[in-house]
Amino acid sequence: MEYDWNEANTSSWKELWRERRMDNSPLNQSGVWRYREMLPFEGAPPDRIITLREGSTPLLRGPLAAEYAGLRQITFKHQGFNPTGSFKDNGMTCGVSQAVRLGKQIVACVSTGNTSASMAAYASAAGLKPLIFLPHGNISFGKLAQALEYGALTLQVKGANFDEILALVRQIADRSGIYLLNSINPFRIEGQKTMALEMLDQNDWQVPDWVVMPGGNLGNAAAFGKGFLELRELGLIDRLPRIAVVQASGSAPFYSYMQVRLATAKAQQGFAPVTAPETLATAIRIGDPVSWPKAESVLLRTNGLAESVTEQEIADAKAIIGRSGIGCEPASAATLAGIRKLVATGTINPTDRVVAVLTGNVLKDPDYIYRYHTGELKTPANAAITSTYGNPPQMVDSNPETIIELLQKLAN
Ligand code: F0G
């Protein structure tokens, strides 16, 4: 989506955006609509914008996580603080507002969980009917529960993975007039790009050296890239961060593609999807990401790169983010695992300013957490994952003496 900003008084925008944070109107409370000069809804009546006060997610310092990664300092942009607990809300507020503007009644998406939770909430808030397609079995319980609670018609498709269901739903959408809210929807990408804007606004417009995010369908990398590139085009920043996309090794077609792409510097390499993607980070269990060409362009334009990490690396990084008092869902922890690898190989310098985007809330996947801490977590191939930072619950008798004894042992 392109804009004509020639007439815009962009020099006042930073101040305007900052002032809006002090205002109680719904649009200014939203960390998406606060930046509406850069969104395609100019002149839309405020009551036709569907907002749940998404965005305004914090930048958090994580000293323990920094030490784990070998960095002097790390900053997390925690999108799990959103109303439905993931970064999808930033895009969904725009996607659903566009559905309202078009007069659509039914909105649909295929999802590994977070998109569906978000779409269900925003569609129901707008009075639209949400229709959700999910891979049967491979979705965390927290996300499925959200879809049900927010009132979506939830279809679990038997024997098909995310990529197969997406192909199916595209056919259905063509024939039935339902509005598709997958990340190919350009309005969602526009909303998601405000994460880049808000991150810099919160950082007093100091551009970090690296912005690192997990990669699934790659809409997020496309959106962040678009945000940074537009800010530079507008003269609001004068340099770009390097964008790094981290995938789970069992579900890493973009990583494989970019390895060859960056090594040979040749365009038009074939993109080979992974036909049976596997990872416990089910949010990014995607073998044929639709937005790979956009993500490729973003990495090339920001001097970025892709990395891949194992199930063990994700699990341990996640536990460290938890112990930092921050917490996130498995896919989000791929960032810290990837950063650690990139520091170890000297690609990221220990003194670089790194922002990791935590895409989802810790409560999205409690089953994973419980298994890790009790030593029961297994990879999709059924190999044991070591609970390196395991913290299992302990059984005690209802007896003050034994509990005091236990506490004394801990103190020693
Ligand atoms: N992290 C989380 C928590 C996600 O839910 C997703 C994607 C990603 C990272 C990857 O983002 O697809 O833009 O590269 N979840 C989608 C969904 C696919 O259906 O909820 P991406």
Side-chain angles (χ1 to χ4, degrees):
M1 205 171 280
E2 306 259 329
Y3 295 83
D4 179 9
W5 281 309
N6 284 334
E7 303 292 310
N9 180 16
T10 55
S11 61
S12 65
W13 286 3
K14 286 183 186 173
E15 211 181 312
L16 180 67
W17 293 338
R18 190 59 68 91
E19 278 169 11
R20 283 179 182 159
R21 288 205 216 171
M22 302 296 288
D23 186 283
N24 282 331
S25 67
L27 291 198
N28 289 344
Q29 288 280 299
S30 161
V32 172
W33 297 102
R34 192 180 297 141
Y35 303 98
R36 54 189 172 271
E37 283 68 25
M38 291 182 68
L39 296 175
F41 285 84
E42 217 194 325
D47 62 346
R48 304 286 285 166
I49 301 288
I50 310 303
T51 172
L52 295 171
R53 315 299 181 270
E54 53 291 319
S56 304
T57 59
L59 290 180
L60 302 172
R61 285 275 156 80
L64 183 72
E67 193 190 320
Y68 179 75
L71 288 174
R72 203 183 55 191
Q73 196 168 282
I74 192 168
T75 304
F76 293 108
K77 173 73 173 152
H78 205 328
Q79 293 302 119
F81 281 62
N82 261 305
T84 78
S86 87
F87 73 104
K88 303 292 181 180
D89 294 343
N90 283 61
M92 204 53 77
T93 182
C94 284
V96 168
S97 296
Q98 176 64 8
V100 168
R101 183 156 70 176
L102 295 174
K104 301 284 180 181
Q105 303 292 323
I106 305 177
V107 291
C109 71
V110 187
S111 179
T112 56
N114 279 323
T115 298
S116 54
S118 182
M119 193 195 77
Y122 281 84
S124 288
L128 310 181
K129 186 70 198 162
L131 170 60
I132 286 169
F133 295 83
L134 301 172
H136 181 60
N138 276 292
I139 169 173
S140 80
F141 214 60
K143 298 171 191 176
L144 176 60
Q146 284 182 291
L148 304 179
E149 186 80 357
Y150 295 136
L153 173 59
T154 305
L155 305 177
Q156 294 191 282
V157 185
K158 288 183 242 167
N161 66 23
F162 176 90
D163 306 300
E164 292 157 347
I165 304 171
L166 182 56
L168 174 81
V169 172
R170 278 174 142 176
Q171 288 175 25
I172 298 169
D174 285 347
R175 284 164 45 189
S176 64
I178 54 178
Y179 190 60
L180 249 195
L181 277 170
N182 269 77
S183 64
I184 18 173
N185 182 302
F187 290 88
R188 283 193 47 210
I189 299 286
E190 291 304 306
Q192 272 178 229
K193 96 184 167 191
T194 63
M195 285 186 270
L197 281 50
E198 185 180 78
M199 171 195 295
L200 293 182
D201 187 359
Q202 291 167 323
N203 211 29
D204 297 325
W205 300 97
Q206 302 294 309
V207 180
D209 299 307
W210 293 90
V211 175
V212 185
M213 67 198 70
N217 226 1
L218 301 169
N220 208 22
F224 263 99
K226 190 169 195 286
F228 290 125
L229 287 159
E230 286 179 357
L231 287 173
R232 193 181 59 170
E233 187 192 319
L234 286 162
L236 296 176
I237 53 174
D238 55 12
R239 55 184 283 269
L240 297 170
R242 298 180 71 181
I243 292 185
V245 172
V246 187
Q247 297 205 291
S249 54
S251 191
F254 185 64
Y255 163 74
S256 307
Y257 172 81
M258 288 308 296
Q259 284 298 93
V260 180
R261 179 72 182 83
L262 294 174
T264 57
K266 237 195 292 161
Q268 307 301 329
Q269 300 283 340
F271 187 88
V274 171
T275 45
E278 282 299 355
T279 171
L280 297 178
T282 50
I284 50 173
R285 190 173 175 269
I286 295 175
D288 194 5
V290 283
S291 295
W292 73 262
K294 285 187 185 150
E296 173 190 18
S297 156
V298 163
L299 294 205
L300 294 175
R301 295 179 71 185
T302 64
N303 191 22
L305 51 82
E307 184 53 276
S308 88
V309 288
T310 64
E311 297 297 313
Q312 181 73 53
E313 288 169 325
I314 293 174
D316 288 340
K318 179 170 144 53
I320 292 290
I321 295 169
R323 279 200 187 186
S324 305
I326 292 173
C328 65
E329 69 163 281
S332 311
T335 53
L336 182 63
I339 292 165
R340 188 174 196 239
K341 259 180 113 168
L342 291 165
V343 173
T345 54
T347 308
I348 296 182
N349 290 317
T351 53
D352 283 353
R353 291 161 306 166
V354 181
V355 179
V357 182
L358 299 182
T359 43
N361 189 283
V362 68
L363 285 173
K364 288 280 187 176
D365 199 348
D367 186 59
Y368 180 110
I369 301 177
Y370 187 77
R371 285 176 199 265
Y372 177 83
H373 287 289
T374 53
E376 292 164 21
L377 193 64
K378 295 215 165 64
T379 70
N382 222 20
I385 288 181
T386 307
S387 304
T388 320
Y389 306 100
N391 180 29
Q394 299 184 31
M395 296 287 253
V396 289
D397 292 328
S398 176
N399 174 342
E401 299 311 320
T402 54
I403 296 176
I404 287 168
E405 210 174 292
L406 182 83
L407 295 180
Q408 278 166 348
K409 264 193 226 150
L410 283 180
N412 293 330

